[in-house]
Amino acid sequence: WTEFKSADGRFSVTLPGTPKEEVSTQDTNIGKLTVHYFNLQTDLGHYLLTYVDVPKAPATPDDIKAALDSARDQALSTGAHLLIENDISVAGVVGRELLVEQDGLILKARYFFVKERLYQIILAARPATVFNNGKASANPANYTDLFAMVSKKFFDSFKVTG
């Protein structure tokens, strides 16, 4: 595992390899947005980090909650099944953590707004990699030791640098 830094993205994270960067433009209900993707596929799973700058930063706690709800709803709109949802705070930044099941994969995701920038950090893996019995569960106690260790290392290493 090595530290990966994105100067333009203003973040660093520890990964088990070097991610591939891609950029795309998406039409959204708030206009065209440029999304920056950092992908890394490994035998364990798929590591994905994205960031996107929105036209107006959520300013109040209610605005932040509404923006995080919108990010969650967007993720679930593609047919994902929500298993766990928690409000979290990392280094004083309020965010949301989700565990979802989609297309035969389990995705653990964290979302944060830092001013006008939305960060999404995602680890996707097969159910047998995530859960001791291989079946999707809302109970984190059912995580395999490997998934618990790797996801903690990955998510806890993410830092906003600018």
Side-chain angles (χ1 to χ4, degrees):
W1 286 65
T2 57
E3 184 178 51
F4 172 80
K5 293 181 182 181
S6 170
D8 290 340
R10 301 191 303 265
F11 71 86
S12 68
V13 67
T14 302
L15 291 163
T18 303
K20 182 175 91 173
E21 183 175 3
E22 299 173 28
V23 179
S24 74
T25 302
Q26 295 183 354
D27 288 317
T28 72
N29 59 353
I30 57 172
K32 282 189 185 287
L33 299 176
T34 301
V35 184
H36 299 261
Y37 298 90
F38 298 85
N39 292 291
L40 176 64
Q41 183 71 45
T42 70
D43 290 341
L44 177 89
H46 184 185
Y47 301 81
L48 174 65
L49 296 99
T50 72
Y51 73 86
V52 60
D53 292 326
V54 296
K56 183 176 181 234
T60 68
D62 286 345
D63 290 345
I64 292 169
K65 181 184 180 318
L68 292 169
D69 287 349
S70 178
R72 177 212 49 224
D73 294 346
Q74 181 70 29
L76 296 178
S77 72
T78 59
H81 172 69
L82 182 65
L83 298 169
I84 301 172
E85 178 177 21
N86 292 308
D87 290 327
I88 58 172
S89 178
V90 177
V93 178
V94 175
R96 186 80 48 84
E97 183 174 86
L98 306 176
L99 188 73
V100 301
E101 181 179 25
Q102 181 175 18
D103 300 329
L105 293 173
I106 304 298
L107 290 79
K108 183 175 181 178
R110 287 185 178 176
Y111 301 81
F112 298 96
F113 274 96
V114 179
K115 298 181 181 153
E116 75 292 338
R117 181 163 285 176
L118 170 64
Y119 291 97
Q120 299 176 66
I121 306 102
I122 300 167
L123 175 57
R126 294 178 304 280
T129 302
V130 178
F131 299 107
N132 286 313
N133 65 2
K135 293 185 179 147
S137 167
N139 186 350
N142 292 332
Y143 289 167
T144 63
D145 290 344
L146 176 63
F147 182 77
M149 179 194 69
V150 169
S151 65
K152 179 173 177 41
K153 186 173 191 170
F154 174 56
F155 288 104
D156 289 356
S157 74
F158 179 81
K159 293 182 178 41
V160 175
T161 58

